[in-house]
């Protein structure tokens, strides 16, 4: 059971834009490679720089959290969060809530001075999902999902699809815009990151805006709040935010240069297959499948 | 969309021991209750005390972690962990590894004095799964799972089943016995708890022995290790363990008296259904399904 051959049929990931396109090669089966072997030989062309204009740096006392924004899925929220960052909205922000196995959340506390909105807005209409269009990338995962009929990857994000619509999925490290009861009561001024088992029940209920690609441990290790929903009960418990900036606004020498593995690359398809059927010596039972939120979206420092 | 009626058909959980037994009532549809409404009216008989003989107290400097053991699934490991605890094996233990979105692990560090084994053993044959028998409780969840054909709850634990076998599932907070490459190289002297998105790929690869029912935040907030696999690189980074004891060995006045909701109760079935289709005012899109590891297993202080 430990060593399995990788058949062409096992390359089950399907990359497509407008129409599904099989990635199965015409060649004969080849010996399956382990994850370290695959990672060590990824061609440079399969890695892509994060776009500084769609990257945020959340600066906490313990270090930097890098967030990649998803303008394909939440264009108005992404634009608004960038506008808010650029007008200093988050300079008076703090981590106000950390709920075990759920979320860490930051924004301007209720006792912060009122923000003088310029280009940014306090609230926006929800962007829970979007139409599937020909130009929207999608690489399908072949495995079952409890919440959606079809799941996979779109650009650097985990997504679900159904009824002609596509939406970002609440996997670990995804970042969303908190809201009140009304669908249009969020806007990005209050953000959260998921820090436990993927709360997929939130899909289609909150606007997801991106994902943490680096530094999530600065948020996951914070003291849990003891108030309702994990809110801190005192101001002293909050973690102050030094700044949250758009990477493009940061001098290049101070940026964290990262690259993400293209999810439409052959390397990514091979990695996913190697995770569906682990061939590392330690694994005795290859699962034969993988959950959407168990697929890591690889990131590395730019070489 | 916000308020839905709960039809009889929606009560899809099926409780069974030997044979599936429908829980759908014969009555007409009734108004669905929210989770707080259900929680507030659970009859006392639906709660069951944790068994002190199968409960561990892991004492960390920041507080107590309560672990419920699963003798139905890992009888030899459970017996061995209790024997090791009773002969002081864990008194020289420490948290030696915390890997982001994966596990926190504790055991005797390599530089600890050798343990003089008495009743406990260093290693045991694996207990990855067990046969399905007539007396093994099982409440089936009706929703899809990426890793197994059938999932649900057995006693106080999330489980998966297939081919006449049943096994504990690697949900958040599950506790397992670390091992080396050989299947029989673990035994419970090195334990881990899952602290990220459920690593279900570990199912059938490691012996799970129980779950953390209280105090997991004492482990999830620990500094992440910077060595390979999240191991700490220096002894100073470790969190020392004061003791790990069987609750039955602790004077009653010093115990943490907890009760778990019976997963074969009508209250649990109604709670699961209320989570599959959230009717709280905040939810705009009821998911219509739930992932195995998104179902909380309720615990409360004994009244």
């Amino acid at each position: 059971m430990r060593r399995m051959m990788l058949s062409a049929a096992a390359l089950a990931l399907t990359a497509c834009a407008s129409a599904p396109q099989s990635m199965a090669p015409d060649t004969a089966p080849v010996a399956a490679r382990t994850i370290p072997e695959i990672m060590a030989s990824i061609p440079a062309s399969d890695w892509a720089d994060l776009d500084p204009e769609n990257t945020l740096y959340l600066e906490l006392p313990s270090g930097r959290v890098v967030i990649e924004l998803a303008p394909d899925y939440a264009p108005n929220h992404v634009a608004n969060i960038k506008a808010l960052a650029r007008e200093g909205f988050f300079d008076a922000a703090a981590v106000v809530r950390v709920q075990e196995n759920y979320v860490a959340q930051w924004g301007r506390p209720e006792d912060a001075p009122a923000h003088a909105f310029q280009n940014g807005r306090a609230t926006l209409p929800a962007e829970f999902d979007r139409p599937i269009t020909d130009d929207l990338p999608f690489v399908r995962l072949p495995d079952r999902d409890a919440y959606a009929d079809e799941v996979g990857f779109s650009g650097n994000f985990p997504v679900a699809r159904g009824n002609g619509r596509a939406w970002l999925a609440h996997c670990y490290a995804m970042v969303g815009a908190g809201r009140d009861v009304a669908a249009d009561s969020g806007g990005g001024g209050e953000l959260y990151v998921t820090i436990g088992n993927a709360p997929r029940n939130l899909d289609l209920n909150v606007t997801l805006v991106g994902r943490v690609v680096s530094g999530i441990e600065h948020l996951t290790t914070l003291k849990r709040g003891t108030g309702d929903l994990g809110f801190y009960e005192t101001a002293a418990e909050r973690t102050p935010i030094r700044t949250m900036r758009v990477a493009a606004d940061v001098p290049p020498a101070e940026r964290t240069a990262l690259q993400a593995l293209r999810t439409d690359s052959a390397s990514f398809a091979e990695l996913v297959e190697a995770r569906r059927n682990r061939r590392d010596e330690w694994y005795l039972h290859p699962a034969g499948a993988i959950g959407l939120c168990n697929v890591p979206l690889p990131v590395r420092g730019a070489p």
Side-chain angles (χ1 to χ4, degrees), chain A:
Chain A
M1 286 291 278
R2 293 199 200 174
R3 299 290 176 184
M4 298 179 69
M5 298 299 282
L6 177 65
S7 69
L11 270 173
L13 270 194
T14 306
C16 64
S18 55
Q21 174 187 355
S22 173
M23 298 187 68
D26 295 330
T27 53
V30 292
R33 299 193 297 169
T34 64
I35 293 166
E37 288 168 350
I38 300 166
M39 290 297 291
S41 67
I42 295 176
S45 56
D46 285 355
W47 293 99
D49 293 330
L50 295 193
D51 174 9
E53 189 58 42
N54 285 307
T55 303
L56 297 175
Y57 294 155
L58 172 67
E59 309 283 0
L60 297 176
S62 60
R64 174 177 287 177
V65 182
V66 180
I67 297 167
E68 179 183 16
L69 296 167
D72 284 348
Y73 286 83
N76 298 326
H77 279 71
V78 165
N80 196 50
I81 292 165
K82 288 158 61 177
L84 290 172
R86 285 171 165 150
E87 64 194 44
F89 180 92
F90 294 100
D91 298 348
V95 182
V96 293
R97 171 193 187 190
V98 184
Q99 187 172 1
E100 179 59 36
N101 190 14
Y102 200 41
V103 296
Q105 187 169 320
W106 63 98
R108 290 172 73 97
E110 289 181 6
D111 53 9
H115 177 70
F117 288 95
Q118 300 162 43
N119 296 312
R121 293 173 54 184
T123 61
L124 286 178
E127 296 176 292
F128 295 157
D129 62 359
R130 56 155 287 166
I132 294 172
T133 54
D134 286 354
D135 60 342
L136 188 68
F138 183 61
V139 175
R140 198 176 79 81
L141 193 66
D143 301 307
R144 289 187 297 260
D145 182 79
Y147 295 89
D149 289 337
E150 193 172 54
V151 294
F153 307 92
S154 185
N156 296 340
F157 299 96
V159 297
R161 315 210 308 180
N163 297 320
R165 311 285 295 176
W167 56 94
L168 296 174
H170 272 85
C171 294
Y172 193 94
M174 290 295 285
V175 174
R179 66 165 171 86
D180 280 330
V181 170
D184 61 356
S185 59
E190 187 90 12
L191 295 169
Y192 65 88
V193 60
T194 61
I195 62 165
N197 192 66
R200 296 282 308 284
N201 54 300
L202 295 178
D203 288 5
L204 296 170
N205 279 292
V206 205
T207 301
L208 285 169
V209 301
R211 66 168 179 139
V212 171
V213 293
S214 170
I216 195 171
E217 67 276 10
H218 298 300
L219 291 160
T220 55
T221 55
L222 293 177
K223 177 181 183 297
R224 277 39 176 161
T226 50
D228 283 348
L229 305 175
F231 279 93
Y232 292 124
E233 298 184 89
T234 64
E237 294 171 284
R238 300 174 192 151
T239 298
I241 289 170
R242 288 178 39 226
T243 64
M244 191 169 82
R245 295 174 293 177
V246 180
D249 299 345
V250 173
E254 297 169 27
R255 293 183 196 164
T256 304
L258 297 175
Q259 297 186 320
L261 183 61
R262 297 176 60 98
T263 58
D264 60 358
S265 67
S267 301
F268 184 76
E270 189 179 359
L271 277 171
V272 172
E273 180 50 35
R275 287 193 177 274
R276 295 177 75 244
N277 289 290
R278 292 288 289 256
R279 293 168 190 88
D280 319 48
E281 189 182 17
W282 185 88
Y283 277 85
L284 303 169
H285 172 82
I290 195 164
L292 173 66
C293 295
N294 287 110
V295 179
L297 293 155
V299 170
R300 70 171 186 180

